[in-house]
Amino acid sequence: MLLLVLILIPFIGCIRAALQPSSERSREAWLAAAVGLIGLAILAFQFPQISQGEVLRYQIDWMPAYGLNLVLRMDGLAWLFSLLIVGIFLLVVLYARYYMSPQDPVPRFYAFLLAFMGAMLGVVLSGNLVQLVLFWELTSLSSFLLIGYWHHRSDARRGARMAFTVTASGGLCLLAGVLMLGHVAGSYDLDVVLAAGDTLRAHAWYRPVLLLIALGALTKSAQFPFHFWLPHAMAAPTPVSAYLHSATMVKAGIFLLMRLWPVLSGTPEWTWLIGGAGVATLMLASFIAIFQHDLKGLLAYSTISHLGLITALLGMGTPLAMVAAIFHTLNHATFKASLFMAAGIIDHESGTRDMRQLRGLRHLMPITATLAIVASAAMAGVPFLNGFLSKEMFFAETLLVGSSSNYWMAFAAVVMGIFSVAYSLRFIYVFFGRPASDLPRTPHEPPRWMRFPVEVLVVLCLAVGMMPALSVGPLLQLGAQAVLGEQLPHYDLAVWHGVNLPLVMSFITLTGGVLLYAVLRRRFNLAQSSRPPLLHRINGQRLYESLMLGLRSGASQLEKLLGTRRLQPQLVLLVSVCLAAGVAAAISLPSVWTAAHSTPLDLPFALLWLLGCVCAVAAAWQAKYHRLSALALAGGAGLVVCLTFLLLSAPDLALTQLMVETVTTVLILLGLRWLPPRQPQLAPSPRSARTARLRRSRDLLLAILSGLAMAAISYLVLMLPAAPGISQFFLEQAVPQGGGTNVVNVLLVDFRGFDTLGEISVLAIVALTVYGLLRRFRPAAESMALPPQQTNPADPAARQIPEEQVNGGYLLVPGVYLRVLLPMIMVCALYFFMRGHNMPGGGFVAGLLFSVGIILQYLLAGTQWVESRMHLHPHRWLALGLLAALATGAGAVLAGYPFLTSHTAHLELPLFGMLHVPSAFVFDLGVFGVVVGATLLILTALAHQSSRAHRLAHANDDTPHQEEP
Amino acid sequence: MEAVIALSIGVLFASGVWLILRPRTFQVIIGLLLISYAVNLFIFIMGRLSVNQPPLALQAGTDTNLFADPVTQALVLTAIVIGFATTALYLVLLLTSRGLSGTDHVDGREPSA
Amino acid sequence: MSNSMMSGMHDMSLWLAVPVSLLLVLGGLITLTGALGLLRLPNFYQRIHGPAVYITVGTGCFLIASMLYSSVALQRPIVHELLITGFVILTAPVVSMMLMRAAVYRDLRKGNTDNTPGDAYKFPREH
Amino acid sequence: MKRWLPTPLMSLALWLLWLMLNQSLAPVHVLFGGLLAVAVPLLVAPLRPTPVRVSRPLVAIRLLFYSLVEILRSSFNVCMLILFSKKGLNSKFIRIPLDLRDPHGLAILACIINSTPGTVWVEIIPDSHDLALHVFDLHDTQWWIDMIKGKLEQPLIEIFEQETA
Amino acid sequence: MSTTLDLLIMLPVLLPLLLGAVLVLLGGRPTLKFALNLGGTLALLVLALTLYWLTDHDVWPDGVGVYLAGNWVAPFGITMVVDRLAALMLLLAALIATAALLYSLRRWSRAGVHFHSLFQFLLAGINGSFLTGDLFNLFVFFEIMLAASYGLLLLGLQPGRVRASMQYVVINLVASSFFLIGVALIYAACGTLNMADLAVRAATLDDGQRLLLETGAAVLAIAFLTKSAMWPLGFWLPTTYAAAAPPVAAMLVLMTKVGIYVIVRLWLLVFAEQQDSWAALSGSALVAGGLLTLAFGTLGLLGSQEPGRMAGFCAIISSGTLLAVIGYGGTAVVGAALFYLASSTLAVAAFMLLLDLIGRVRNPSVEMLAITMEAFDIDDAPDDSAGVAIPAATAFLGLSFMACVLIITGLPPLSGFVAKFSLFHALLNAGAISALTLGLIALVVVSGLAAIISLMRFGVRVFWSNPDMQPPRLHPSEALPASGLLLACIALSIAAGPASSYMDRTASALHEPQLYIERVLSTRPVTTENAP
Amino acid sequence: MSVQLLTLALGFAQLCVLLAMVFCVIRLLRGPTAQDRILALDSLWMAAMLFILLLGIGFASTVYFEAALLIALTGFVSSIALAKFLMRGEVIE
Ligand code: NA
Ligand code: NA
């Protein structure tokens, strides 16, 4: 339970901090400090149990079926790391209290810092590997936010993005690795996994698992070749650098390698991968560090190099190396955090971190200078300081691993040592010499409590360096025991081991380092802006930036290549893919060519369809330049379709198709006025003509192929015997149960009335959409002018308004016919409606017929005249129709039957005898209403556009004449 | 008869496909019209062909095997109406597009040369 | 010619079958002739007279044939044919009227009122 | 009466139409047809600005017969011309001054002329109230003028413009 | 069937239809209309929750509720069926609809004449597609949904929107034609339209009918895959999403999932059990298509700058993942896929809403400058070390954006991570692990990485590179929906255990189609005897 | 006997009407003017009506007459809409 508190309080603190007003300063720091103190208290409380070798566990079930639970598990290693995390957090909070500027919105800073601490504690306390990854990514995230804290600076943004990209990618690899590891081990639970080392090492997946987990660890710990993000992360405020980039976050990778050391290590692959990366990093980074000019840059590379050292130790795979690794982790955290803070103080006080400017700070801030010098000495590995001890252990191990025949590791260690002495000297040099006069600010000692954390850490360095067994001994024991268990080797934490080879190596590094620095110093002074020799070409950051840029542009290129934003290619693809899918499905089966039955060829029918086909092809051919012809030709094809329906026993379809044909023609004609005139283009360039030809050939081929496919599958269907399906039921039950002899109509309004309800909804929706669209329709400028027919003086009707035309003009006579026709059409519509249930007809046909009658009046006398005399309210027709259909269904529900259950009312009327009124009749009435409403709404909305143009045209009478199409 | 109707469906469909691949909106709308003819016929013939056997069960107890499949007819009816609605919608959409962009290209802008 | 479209022919006495057949043949011939006119005549103003023949007389022949045939052979009232006749009479004139006027003014607007086959409104005698 | 049956002829036509469509004289249809015959004209009344008056049914019947004969005759002529005319046809527009003003009369005239093969109505020229007519094969303009004015226009004037004439 | 309770199955369709019709009749009374619309949508939410509960408890046998519309017995009439999957989808739909509607309160509901009616019709279409047990009825509901979406997409009538609609409409019309062709072929093969009956009959077909069935299914699949934006059929999606009004875009996100839903439903019901070469072929086609879609979405996301298109590519990635995973098959995998579906749909929908709000703080010129400077590695003012206070609204946006990114990219600790983890877990434990499994996992990981890079680039550009950023004006009705959806995701992460076990139950029910079939075909109509 | 006669006559009439439709379609294709095409389309509709009438006779069924009736009633609508479009440049003013 305490474990849960330990994990939760930072997050609670984070939320609390985030809710503070942004001007708040001290209270934030106190809040953070309180969190840190509580954590420390909990850790102290748990020490007795941990030191007994107990493993504390606390489990909350999260996704037990998937083996993912929140398991908090504290052993010695976790305790040690927790101590590190919480302890340094406290110091950093204290330091930050004075470091952050009054303008900085500190609540955000502390919130992020607390979140980070929580995430970090989560990593070290995870008893489940997936949970570890979860917190791992949270550390990446919170570090991203912390690095980008000063987000108005582009270096902060870039540094944050880079750090996050690299570490989050590593995290994803880690997740994959952990999942595979869990699969091999049979569980994600750490205890189970730790026990499955032998299984894993023998498993075929060992290498991928190792690689993926190593990728996670190496990216996080900024190991070569992923080291480049860390120097850029220095854009973060210094407390962040001190906390994340020296003591904690970068140690998460190290922690992971330690945690999984029992499972993963002990193989040549481990040594080569981890050890190799470590050695490469320590050499490279320590070398580059010498040539930095930025204090924090130097410290960053130094950090990388020390992390490389620890990684190299872990890569060695021996238990003693493990102990050394843990020891150096602690040491590095203390001296590096203090150095970062010192650098921050210098920056804070002098206004710069450029070592080329900083001189003689010893005179201006003597205490700070002393502290920094001691910490640097620890970093350089000077005896009686903690760095010396762990480095010596490192040297000893390199000798041990390399054995007598192979000294390359020892050699690398010595070289690294020389470099680190050199850069430590370079760091120290800022305190010596004559004070610089050209600094942005005149530095002096920082506030008392700002220096306090540095003092604490330096005291720790000294304490460990002088009395290791007393100070750090128990802690180290605790950590090493947790990892190594039975394998815990004997080691001796003493300042003096006598004169041995490691001591000689230490001596060489110290003198070598001083010499190297002396040699190089002149060069620094000569070439202030020199880049690190040899290695400046290996620029991870450049590589990263160009990779990101390349990714973006490459992806965008590829996306353009593999995708399109134009319609035609999409349709080509759609049709081709469908064709391919159909053909693939069809040919994957054995051929079936057993003709079942066929109707004898009928010459008239063939002739009819010859016409239909000719019309269709001609419509396709004419549609570009001769719209009217194309429309007429498509109408011809439609007529043949109607006749086919009629001929093949589908009178209902024929009637409906006939009406739809008419309405569609009127509709498209209404739209034609707003389309631009199209003249054949003159002489395109030969190249574009060729591509156009190619494209047309491709489309033609595709069209022919899809036509062939449709023809083939149609023929196949017709040759196969019909499956005994549901249709017999309808034919048999239409009269007894549906109460109508027209089976199609009974299907539409009863058996499958729900489909029809949906279908009229579609109609209603489209009508509403069309109405909405047309209300805000703005025609193109050139089609606003009146059509040439209406402005040409040759026609006496040219400037007559529709009303004049029909009541005295050329439409006088046609008007008489159409006005006589209207009531007749209405009666016919009613007729088709009433008989629909028993004979061809029904709501659709009737509705369309009725609408056609009304539209004829519009056509004759114009919108204004008709609407001034008749209020149609198509919206109401539409809504009431839909409601009527719904009400029919709801009536059944009220009667206790399912929705849309049909009933027949049997009315005994005096004169007429028995009348059977099926409820489907009301439903069909709804259909009728919707069809009328929708059709009228669409057509009149379109028609209104013309009258609008007319009003505009009459407003300015001298509209330019337009060429007749 | 079967071959004739199958071929006809093929021709209608091919003409429609050719048209919907064209760049002008009017071509596309005529193409959609032709495709809907083809598809309606296609659905229709899934009930196989029968001449002069409309599904009108005028007397109860008639041999139902004589009738054409009413289900496909009901489906086609729905498809016809929906096809009409969508044609209307596309028409108005293409007019709107033309009004806003000044072109009748399907992409709402003339292709750059 | 195998024709599935005549599956329902009923028997009837010959003296009625002959006129019905004759009417059918006559209607067919007139229809064909009218359509031929539409096809072959040289300009629109002449072509418009072709279909007029079959719309009026062809329809008439078929309708009378149908009336005779159904009223005798099927004992069915003949009213539908009358309705069709009525509607054709009501609608056909409007189409030709509108179409003719449209064609005339189209030509007038184009200005080709010379005596070519496409001429429009060149009245032989002015009032 | 006037209020409920503003257009009795139309009502009659609609009633007949309903009965014919249903092919039945059952009381339901008779009554429902009657209902329609009253309701529908009332519904569309706002859209019919010109009232119709008809008299002299005998003249109408004579006109009908004359027209039928004329239609058959012209039809034969036109067929022959289409099939066998080797030389060019003398298709011409002619003008016929009309006295008939009633829109319904003009409509019937148009119906007869357009139903007669070989003649197509173009329009009534606004200023002169002349009928522009297209004749398929014109031999004698005056014959056409006389025929239309005498045999067609006159009876129509009698039928439709009795009171006003 | 006992009508009273069973009526609940029908209401998610009937209620919006009714409301849509009523809203047409109410003229210009925006407040009343909005209130009615919201009331209806909330009622749908309650309904969806009820159905969610009902299907998961022993109310109906096997958790399958059947409603016989028109009281016609199963293969003949149209049946509406609710099971766990349908209930889950209904719930998702209702959640997103509520958020989208609330979001449109201030602006978008007034941008079009019949917004409210169209919105309700859209819901009717979507819910109907989830509930129907009839293939042709599915077509009808698809059309309702599409028709309403056309109307909503054109809301406000901007040139870009019209241009996008031209694509969207034509492609959907053509896809609908394929839908019809597919349904027709299936009817020709089996003589039935009822999905359950289809599954029964499909098992007993001869060679010829089998050919028709499978060709029909292939064509039908193309229609659904177009709607779920499989590569190379989904190029319309980013364009459309980028153009749509934010609440509509959120609904479109949902609609992409309707295609996926239908594929899951039909494929598992009718085809996956067939165990023939075709089933194997179609499964691998689905996997291949999904992988390609995933790859394409990844490329698009990496390459695009425009936020709307980025969101579109996020939806494509989600679709691709789902298609591949569903094609891969297996109960556990499908269960994880459903979890992923829920999480990614909610997150991308929230993202759509957020993008609009974010659009208000964006300053394109400043952003361009920032991009250029970062590309050319120019540092600006590194010595200015005092921070900039972020006003609460911006902080809210930033936090919500971050949550969205976490979920979409699958980073811990939110539902996106849980979803991806369960997917990987299920894939690794689904039996034999092939190169395909690992490839799939790798691609999903890479797509997540691409999403991280791209979305972080965007977020940094918007929230960090904009020194003169004015705090945006946020209305609660705009802030609430997006955060509500995100809260749903967070709830999903916290309740990951129960949620994923629900998904697993759903998946295992899907893998036992005979229960569904049995329930549909054995439901008897109400007779005069048993009517109340 | 009379059945054969009638069948023959009806077949002949059907063939004639179909040929008439062929001629109409040819005119529809050839144009050359828009009015020619509209005329051809209208004639095609009328011929189709005749064809349906003949079908009704052949099948001895009233169902077909309904379709013919509908063509007679509304077949002209698209023709006059087209004509009006030619004449005025728009269908509904
Ligand atoms: Na019907
Ligand atoms: Na005539």
Side-chain angles (χ1 to χ4, degrees), chain E residues 190-282:
Chain E
C190 303
T192 190
L193 293 164
N194 185 289
M195 293 178 192
D197 195 32
L198 198 64
V200 173
R201 290 183 195 228
T204 61
L205 296 182
D206 63 28
D207 278 353
Q209 292 163 333
R210 186 118 229 115
L211 175 88
L212 298 184
L213 173 71
E214 299 187 346
T215 310
V219 174
L220 198 61
I222 297 303
F224 299 135
L225 291 173
T226 306
K227 271 145 200 162
S228 46
M230 186 181 85
W231 188 87
L233 308 173
F235 305 135
W236 56 269
L237 189 142
T239 311
T240 311
Y241 279 30
V248 180
M251 294 306 287
L252 284 174
V253 175
L254 184 66
M255 284 172 61
T256 327
K257 301 300 185 286
V258 180
I260 305 257
Y261 163 84
V262 175
I263 288 169
V264 172
R265 168 68 75 216
L266 279 181
W267 202 63
L268 289 181
L269 186 64
V270 183
F271 299 105
E273 298 291 300
Q274 302 275 326
Q275 300 300 341
D276 63 355
S277 63
W278 190 90
L281 185 76
S282 54

Side-chain angles (χ1 to χ4, degrees), chain A residues 566-568 571-572 575 598-602 605-606 609 613 616-617 620 623-624 627 630 634 638 641 644-645 647-653 656-657 660-661 663-664 667-668 671-672 674-676 678 696 699-700 702-703 706-707 710-711 713-715 717-722 727-728 730-732 735 741-744 747-748 752 759 763 766 769-770 773-774 777-780 782-783 838-840 844 938 942, chain B residues 1-30 33-34 37-42 44-60 64-65 67-82 84-100 102-107 110-111:
Chain A
R566 292 173 45 233
L567 175 66
Q568 290 158 278
L571 287 174
V572 168
V575 174
S598 64
T599 326
L601 176 75
D602 195 280
F605 189 70
W609 266 109
C613 293
V617 173
K624 186 163 188 187
R627 297 195 184 115
V641 173
T644 309
F645 285 146
L647 209 59
L648 297 179
S649 318
D652 275 291
L653 295 190
T656 313
Q657 179 79 49
V660 167
E661 205 56 48
V663 177
T664 308
L667 183 78
I668 294 183
L672 223 48
W674 306 106
L675 284 178
R678 180 155 301 289
R696 291 163 71 89
D699 293 351
L700 187 64
L702 190 57
S706 20
M710 276 296 270
I713 193 78
S714 308
Y715 190 68
V717 170
L718 291 173
M719 286 298 107
L720 290 170
S727 53
Q728 285 306 313
F730 301 120
L731 289 167
E732 281 155 13
V735 178
T741 55
N742 182 0
V743 186
V744 176
L747 260 164
L748 283 175
R752 295 185 69 88
E759 167 195 356
L763 207 53
V766 166
T769 302
V770 164
L773 263 180
L774 287 175
F777 173 68
R778 291 286 171 276
E782 71 268 25
S783 48
N838 292 317
M839 291 299 283
F844 286 115
I938 293 172
L942 253 176
Chain B
M1 203 112 154
E2 278 78 7
V4 172
I5 190 110
L7 270 176
S8 312
I9 291 173
V11 171
L12 281 176
F13 195 72
S15 312
V17 167
W18 161 259
L19 278 177
I20 59 164
L21 300 179
R22 300 294 92 222
R24 300 293 154 188
T25 47
F26 186 78
Q27 293 173 303
V28 174
I29 200 170
I30 296 289
L33 210 60
L34 293 180
Y37 291 152
V39 171
N40 289 345
L41 275 176
F42 184 76
F44 177 62
I45 63 158
M46 295 296 120
R48 311 306 190 271
L49 309 185
S50 44
V51 178
N52 196 25
Q53 295 158 350
L56 303 169
L58 294 174
Q59 289 108 37
T64 51
N65 284 315
F67 293 121
D69 187 341
V71 178
T72 49
Q73 295 195 17
L75 303 190
V76 175
L77 226 130
T78 306
I80 289 176
V81 175
I82 289 181
F84 162 69
T86 47
T87 306
L89 183 97
Y90 185 66
L91 178 81
V92 174
L93 184 57
L94 74 86
L95 295 181
T96 313
S97 162
R98 145 89 173 133
L100 284 173
T103 164
D104 66 340
H105 194 278
V106 287
D107 290 326
E110 289 295 327

Side-chain angles (χ1 to χ4, degrees), chain E residues 44-50 52 85-98 127 130 254 346:
Chain E
L44 282 184
L45 189 59
V46 173
L47 254 174
L49 281 168
T50 315
Y52 183 87
L85 180 62
L88 173 70
M89 299 306 290
L90 284 177
L91 187 58
L92 262 181
L95 273 173
I96 293 178
T98 310
N127 290 346
F130 293 145
L254 184 66
L346 289 171

Side-chain angles (χ1 to χ4, degrees), chain C residues 52, chain D residues 113-120:
Chain D
I113 287 175
N114 276 357
S115 300
T116 310
T119 48
V120 178

